Amino acid sequence: MTMEQILSYIPLDISLIAANFDRFLYGVWTTLNLTFIALFIGALLAIPMAIARASRHRFWNPIVWGYTYVFRGTPLLVQTYLIYYGFGQFEFIRHSWLWEPVLSSAWWCALIAFTLNTAAYSTELLRGAIIDTPKGEVEAAIATGHSYKARLRRIILPSAFRRAIPAYSNEVIFMLHGSVVASTITLQDILGVGRWLNGRYYLAYEGFITAALLYFLIVLCIASVFRWLERRYLRHLTRRETPATAEITPEPTR
Amino acid sequence: MTGISALKVDNLHKSFGQHEVIKGVSMEAQKGDVIAILGASGSGKSTFLRCINLLETPNSGDVYLAGEKIRMKRNRHGETVPADIRQVERMRARLAMVFQGFNLWSHMTVMENVLEGPLYVQKTPKSEALEKAKALLAKVGLADRADYYPAHLSGGQQQRVAIARALAMDPDVMLFDEPTSALDPELVGEVLAVMRDLAAEGRTMLVVTHEMGFARDVSSKTVFLHKGEVCEEGAPGKLFTNPETEQFKAFLSRMN
């Protein structure tokens, strides 16, 4: 069978996808930079906020709680619309120094919404990991003479970050999938290119299946990075490999 | 009495809510003393030990380490709190503690556990700390386990690492909070052997324990706590052969 024959069985216009593949690559680039810049800044914001949420600080704990409650309680799409369409309603914002470079740009609005959203989820996720730090390990650090800061930096956070890895891999994947919201505010991310193809040629499958495949491939990469991270940083929780001989030695019967 | 005692506790009181757990306990350890603290569960012996390094904050009473008093004050709710947390942290670094549940830092290897205090509390130069950590691991018989994580060791091995971790701080006084109570019976011996060596070296130790043999053979002084008070104390030879109070007699007969 020749290549052309094989292709003829696939009910998709492969040549159309191929002709527009550079657009899809550009879409991948847009999706990746939006998602990962948002995740990076969101994680940096989440660390102090999670510490505040895990503490009994009278001022910061309720403030951060309110923030995460609002951003986890509303859809990302609504948050993005509020920033992109909402802010422009206010004259003082349109005339502020932030308008021209930032708030008038769809990319920046998406980045702000995504960052605030992932920061809220990451905060609560990391807070859970922090308060799960074994109490005895914290006591051992206190008894050794560690200050509160040293305890956080040396014991509590390193331990919490490790515990948070599996849950955080979900957050990364959700954020990637959530980033399709960008395509609704004119951005040509992966789904944006799919929508463009559908609108232009009225071929839904070509655009959307290609988009789905591209998201799927990115998820595969993310999952394998996290598998590596878990192997490396959760070693201390795994069972140590026993020598092969130990496994085949039968239990003595009594 | 010669000089300043290594550790002195004066009239310590501690309540949890309405319940008074420690009702005015005093204790004094000279350098090289091994004080065994006995008592039934609920007698307040662990709480007493945890008040010494302020893992629990006593309601009143003073703790002196080599003559230096841990300064306390009252906050605006009338609770007793440390006057200077830096002083408390300095004191804690000189009062190493070994816990019932080992409490090794699970994300760190054995070596990292032993290095943590010297490197990040005492700021010892790395090469010096490493040298000492290796020697200490050899001393507790775990030189070949330096790269293991705590979860990959037996309970007895973990407790020996915890003792090495405590020794790494060169403590003035070591506090042992039921160090063998969480161990399987066959693992108790290896931990007690290490503790006997430390006593023989002249380490100052306060040991809350249920190991009567250890108290009798190793301690220089045995204290029996009952309902938050010192019920009977003295040289173990005298105490174990000639218990005076009914409570201690009853306790001994239950333990044997």
Side-chain angles (χ1 to χ4, degrees):
Chain A
M1 233 178 350
T2 65
M3 197 65 191
E4 265 141 60
Q5 279 174 305
I6 295 172
L7 286 177
S8 69
Y9 284 109
I10 301 173
L12 284 177
D13 189 346
I14 302 287
S15 62
L16 182 70
I17 296 168
N20 288 289
F21 205 68
D22 52 341
R23 272 178 185 272
F24 275 107
L25 285 182
Y26 182 74
V28 169
W29 167 242
T30 304
T31 292
L32 289 181
N33 72 35
L34 262 178
T35 306
F36 283 96
I37 294 173
L39 283 166
F40 179 72
I41 303 172
L44 289 185
L45 293 173
I47 294 169
M49 290 198 292
I51 293 170
R53 283 282 290 124
S55 79
R56 270 174 282 172
H57 199 286
R58 289 222 182 139
F59 180 73
W60 288 114
N61 186 334
I63 287 189
V64 175
W65 175 82
Y67 159 74
T68 62
Y69 203 83
V70 168
F71 274 86
R72 299 197 309 159
T74 55
L76 178 61
L77 183 65
V78 177
Q79 293 160 15
T80 311
Y81 280 4
L82 281 173
I83 292 171
Y84 182 64
Y85 296 115
F87 280 3
Q89 305 258 313
F90 298 100
E91 190 148 342
F92 73 91
I93 289 179
R94 277 202 312 278
H95 289 131
S96 77
W97 57 273
L98 265 176
W99 181 252
E100 198 44 61
V102 178
L103 290 175
S104 62
S105 138
W107 189 85
W108 276 102
C109 286
L111 182 72
I112 292 168
F114 294 1
T115 302
L116 292 175
N117 185 276
T118 184
Y121 278 97
S122 306
T123 296
E124 292 304 319
L125 191 150
L126 186 56
R127 167 186 173 262
I130 287 175
I131 60 180
D132 280 345
T133 308
K135 200 166 161 277
E137 293 187 27
V138 179
E139 279 192 348
I142 295 173
T144 305
H146 274 317
S147 63
Y148 175 66
K149 261 193 206 152
R151 250 139 53 206
L152 269 178
R153 200 171 62 81
R154 295 289 314 158
I155 310 296
I156 298 171
L157 288 179
S159 168
F161 285 150
R162 285 169 164 81
R163 264 192 308 285
I165 291 172
Y168 191 65
S169 75
N170 283 334
E171 171 56 21
V172 171
I173 291 169
F174 288 151
M175 195 62 243
L176 173 77
H177 289 168
S179 75
V180 295
V181 162
S183 71
T184 66
I185 55 168
T186 74
L187 289 169
Q188 292 283 298
D189 68 343
I190 297 174
L191 182 63
V193 176
R195 283 163 58 129
W196 172 84
L197 205 73
N198 179 40
R200 172 130 188 205
Y201 299 101
Y202 211 66
L203 286 169
Y205 276 138
E206 278 69 7
F208 295 139
I209 284 182
T210 307
L213 273 174
L214 289 172
Y215 283 113
F216 186 74
L217 284 176
I218 297 171
V219 169
L220 279 184
C221 295
I222 292 170
S224 67
V225 167
F226 273 92
R227 254 201 313 282
W228 178 81
L229 284 173
E230 285 181 30
R231 260 206 309 278
R232 172 136 171 53
Y233 289 105
L234 296 177
R235 250 183 321 180
H236 65 291
L237 301 178
T238 59
R239 210 174 268 273
R240 201 180 174 84
E241 304 86 19
T242 42
T245 49
E247 276 169 42
I248 47 175
T249 311
E251 278 284 305
T253 45
R254 285 168 226 245
Chain B
M1 202 175 70
T2 52
I4 302 159
S5 49
L7 178 76
K8 190 173 138 194
V9 182
D10 194 23
N11 197 22
L12 195 111
H13 287 261
K14 172 69 184 172
S15 305
F16 291 111
Q18 294 297 309
H19 183 55
E20 192 171 31
V21 189
I22 307 287
K23 301 164 185 164
V25 174
S26 301
M27 199 173 284
E28 196 162 352
Q30 305 300 324
K31 196 169 182 314
D33 273 356
V34 177
I35 300 186
I37 302 170
L38 309 178
S41 58
S43 60
K45 54 195 191 309
S46 279
T47 306
F48 173 72
L49 204 69
R50 291 164 60 83
C51 281
I52 294 174
N53 65 355
L54 266 74
L55 281 182
E56 307 286 355
T57 316
N59 296 84
S60 66
D62 294 314
V63 176
Y64 300 82
L65 186 59
E68 187 184 346
K69 180 174 157 179
I70 303 184
R71 294 191 304 281
M72 306 296 281
K73 65 175 183 190
R74 293 205 175 273
N75 68 8
R76 59 200 154 95
H77 306 294
E79 296 154 346
T80 312
V81 291
D84 174 8
I85 192 69
R86 298 271 166 261
Q87 188 210 15
V88 173
E89 285 160 12
R90 257 195 341 266
M91 299 289 221
R92 282 169 175 157
R94 294 161 55 192
L95 279 167
M97 190 174 222
V98 175
F99 298 86
Q100 179 176 358
F102 327 133
N103 295 355
L104 294 175
W105 297 304
S106 57
H107 61 287
M108 296 184 186
T109 62
V110 163
M111 181 54 96
E112 288 165 344
N113 266 277
V114 178
L115 284 173
E116 180 67 24
L119 288 184
Y120 296 96
V121 176
Q122 296 174 328
K123 321 278 183 198
T124 313
K126 177 114 194 214
S127 57
E128 192 184 312
L130 199 65
E131 200 79 10
K132 197 166 84 186
K134 279 182 187 160
L136 287 171
L137 285 177
K139 181 190 178 108
V140 298
L142 291 169
D144 56 335
R145 294 290 188 270
D147 297 327
Y148 280 52
Y149 286 100
H152 302 147
L153 299 177
S154 73
Q157 290 172 328
Q158 289 190 52
Q159 194 60 299
R160 285 186 282 148
V161 174
I163 292 173
R165 174 175 72 173
L167 286 170
M169 301 295 286
D170 281 327
D172 297 342
V173 179
M174 297 181 78
L175 309 173
F176 290 83
D177 186 7
E178 303 200 28
T180 57
S181 300
L183 295 175
D184 292 335
E186 76 271 21
L187 301 177
V188 169
E190 62 190 68
V191 172
L192 287 182
V194 171
M195 290 170 60
R196 279 169 201 269
D197 288 348
L198 296 181
E201 274 171 25
R203 296 263 174 196
T204 315
M205 300 156 66
L206 261 62
V207 186
V208 168
T209 186
H210 289 294
E211 293 295 328
M212 294 300 126
F214 181 84
R216 185 167 34 213
D217 304 341
V218 182
S219 76
S220 52
K221 183 171 155 191
T222 298
V223 178
F224 173 65
L225 288 187
H226 183 69
K227 294 191 174 163
E229 286 173 300
V230 175
C231 181
E232 197 163 337
E233 63 182 319
K238 174 180 154 291
L239 229 63
F240 281 94
T241 47
N242 253 325
E244 283 174 7
T245 59
E246 286 308 315
Q247 289 90 340
F248 191 42
K249 279 181 199 159
F251 175 75
L252 282 178
S253 65
R254 267 200 315 269
M255 296 306 286
N256 292 328

